[in-house]
Amino acid sequence: MSDKDLYSVLGVSKGASADEIKKAYRKLARQYHPDVNKSADAGAKFTEVQEAYDVLSDEKKRRYYDQFGVVPGTAAADAGAAGHAPRGPWEGGQNVRVDQMNIDPEELGSMFETFFGGGGRPRDPFGGGSPFGGGASGTRGRGRASRAVEPEPLEHELYLTFLNAARGGKEELRLNLDGKSRTIEVNIPAGVRDKQQLRMRQGAGDRDLVLNIRVGGHPVFRREEGNDLSLDLPLTISEAILGGTVNVQTLDAPVELRVPPGASSGAKLRLRGKGIQPAKGEPGDLYAVVKVIVPKGDSLSDAEKNTIREIGARQGNVRGG
């Protein structure tokens, strides 16, 4: 995240409304999008603008930023909590990268169901005996005692951009444990949702890490049911009436879409498999929602107006019934 003032990045004042922020972002996103702007720094500026919008378009994150001057979920924000975090399993080390940690978005159940099987003895999920540091031997009573001292999971709020949540990937976390900063790297599965919890199992004797996911908005894409996405597809009158081929942006790259003749506003044109590609399961679809853009009356000549009146007369009453 850039250290620049986020309002300055978007070119708006601190008191700007949500609509003003969105309008400013749309303008800058079009200006610096790598598909349009081929300058060397276009990609970096586009990312900077996207990150600023992700914070300022979210009421909670914007309020946090206005109050503390840092972006929630970043190292700068976490550093303010040093000394107040619960004790954890990383004590005594420096920056620790835990590359082997994998997050399972479906693992939301109790740790007791993970570590304890049908018998009374704790079960090591990695095949090495007791997960609490002891050997493979033990009694039922000893297993029950181990449950009682299982450390509580550590919760951490993780903010993701819309695209990072949709695509998934690696994220670095800065955690403050017992007053000491620790850095870990986690794998975020593609398709995580806002307010979803991801639970990371860290192995024998270590506490779990529960990530409370917060996902920012996007000026183009909307998340629908499952892994489906939607976006608005502006069309001219001629494109809507006569049909044609138009370019539609997807998560990866623009693709061509055939618009059938007579497409009305609100019609949904499906791009199969162009939604979110989840870590598991089938990919979602992308729905382009038609939005017919009507020209202003004063931009038409008298002949054009007469032609439109004739078309309207032949079309008849569209509100009948």
Side-chain angles (χ1 to χ4, degrees):
M1 174 66 67
S2 171
D3 293 331
K4 295 182 179 179
D5 177 71
L6 300 188
Y7 291 99
S8 298
V9 171
L10 295 183
V12 297
S13 66
K14 189 173 182 179
S17 66
D19 287 340
E20 289 172 332
I21 290 174
K22 185 174 184 179
K23 183 177 179 180
Y25 170 79
R26 284 179 177 271
K27 178 181 178 181
L28 293 173
R30 286 193 296 267
Q31 179 180 349
Y32 293 117
H33 196 287
D35 291 341
V36 177
N37 192 325
K38 302 303 180 182
S39 60
D41 60 346
K45 290 184 178 180
F46 181 81
T47 299
E48 185 177 67
V49 168
Q50 173 71 59
E51 292 176 341
Y53 178 76
D54 285 341
V55 174
L56 300 183
S57 64
D58 184 289
E59 182 179 350
K60 182 178 178 181
K61 286 190 281 186
R62 181 181 180 181
R63 187 164 56 248
Y64 187 101
Y65 177 76
D66 288 344
Q67 183 175 358
F68 299 106
V70 294
V71 177
T74 61
D78 290 343
H84 302 286
R87 296 176 65 86
W90 295 286
E91 293 176 311
Q94 297 301 317
N95 288 341
V96 180
R97 301 184 67 86
V98 191
D99 295 324
Q100 69 272 24
M101 294 180 180
N102 292 317
I103 298 176
D104 184 357
E106 299 175 359
E107 180 61 69
L108 301 179
S110 169
M111 275 297 295
F112 301 139
E113 296 175 1
T114 301
F115 285 139
F116 299 94
R121 188 175 71 250
R123 182 167 52 86
D124 183 357
F126 301 99
S130 169
F132 301 103
S137 62
T139 65
R140 288 180 179 269
R142 192 172 299 168
R144 286 193 294 269
S146 295
R147 299 187 192 197
V149 298
E150 177 70 19
E152 291 293 324
L154 172 66
E155 293 197 20
H156 182 81
E157 199 162 49
L158 176 61
Y159 288 90
L160 299 174
T161 66
F162 185 95
L163 295 180
N164 286 350
R167 294 168 175 165
K170 295 184 182 297
E171 293 285 334
E172 282 194 353
L173 305 183
R174 290 290 295 268
L175 304 176
N176 287 284
L177 302 174
D178 195 27
K180 297 179 180 179
S181 179
R182 301 290 182 265
T183 299
I184 66 172
E185 188 176 80
V186 296
N187 291 318
I188 303 299
V192 293
R193 282 185 171 273
D194 185 47
K195 300 181 180 179
Q196 183 176 345
Q197 280 192 331
L198 304 181
R199 193 180 190 107
M200 178 190 299
R201 295 185 296 174
Q202 300 194 54
D206 292 343
R207 68 170 59 190
D208 280 4
L209 176 63
V210 176
L211 298 179
N212 296 309
I213 301 298
R214 297 293 181 265
V215 180
H218 195 275
V220 175
F221 298 109
R222 297 182 293 270
R223 184 76 180 263
E224 303 294 343
E225 292 295 326
N227 294 310
D228 291 342
L229 298 174
S230 67
L231 53 75
D232 290 333
L233 178 62
L235 296 178
T236 64
I237 287 182
S238 62
E239 289 172 331
I241 295 175
L242 304 177
T245 300
V246 298
N247 287 331
V248 176
Q249 181 65 45
T250 71
L251 289 177
D252 299 319
V255 298
E256 289 188 344
L257 172 66
R258 177 66 182 174
V259 178
S264 299
S265 287
K268 294 183 178 180
L269 308 179
R270 182 169 66 173
L271 289 163
R272 190 182 299 274
K274 293 300 182 180
I276 291 174
Q277 306 277 340
K280 298 178 181 178
E282 296 295 323
D285 298 330
L286 173 63
Y287 290 89
V289 182
V290 172
K291 184 177 182 181
V292 180
I293 306 300
V294 179
K296 295 182 179 180
D298 56 7
S299 67
L300 301 174
S301 66
D302 291 339
E304 289 170 333
K305 292 178 182 178
N306 289 332
T307 300
I308 292 175
R309 291 190 186 99
E310 293 174 0
I311 294 173
R314 289 198 301 270
Q315 189 174 10
N317 184 7
V318 297
R319 294 177 294 279

